[in-house]
Amino acid sequence: MKNVQLIDGAINSAYNIYAVADEDFELIFPNGQDIEFIEDFVKRVGRKRAGKIVESLNKDLQKKTVVNGIHGTLFYELKSQKKHLYTNKRFSDDPSSAY
């Protein structure tokens, strides 16, 4: 199991963390990525498959105080982040990161 943080453009976003099966994690974050945008994920695997994975992910909310690391970040409604910070879809792309 891997931990995925969801970040969306909503004003009241909670930045929740969810556990996801390793095989689903690899579908969301291929080729060593640790950043993905929902639009790109859906385009790559298809609406039906992406929907099933996101649905299963949403059932496994984790308590932030007990999570042992965040393995990936999935952005919703934040395409501007891709254009300006995460062109290679790796957290290390962000020059301000402590990665």
Side-chain angles (χ1 to χ4, degrees), residues 28-88:
I28 299 169
F29 304 100
N31 305 316
Q33 290 175 213
D34 53 11
I35 300 290
E36 185 55 290
F37 295 83
I38 192 65
E39 300 86 1
D40 294 344
F41 173 53
V42 171
K43 185 176 181 179
R44 191 175 60 255
V45 303
R47 183 175 298 277
K48 186 174 182 180
R49 181 72 177 127
K52 286 182 180 184
I53 291 171
V54 170
E55 183 179 315
S56 69
L57 185 129
N58 283 325
K59 293 178 183 176
D60 212 354
L61 178 64
Q62 302 294 297
K63 289 186 176 186
K64 290 179 183 178
T65 56
V66 297
V67 167
N68 188 11
I70 297 171
H71 304 100
T73 302
L74 183 59
F75 286 100
Y76 282 75
E77 303 171 3
L78 290 165
K79 289 181 187 178
S80 63
Q81 295 294 319
K82 177 171 64 171
K83 182 178 177 183
H84 299 290
L85 291 176
Y86 301 115
T87 56
N88 293 321

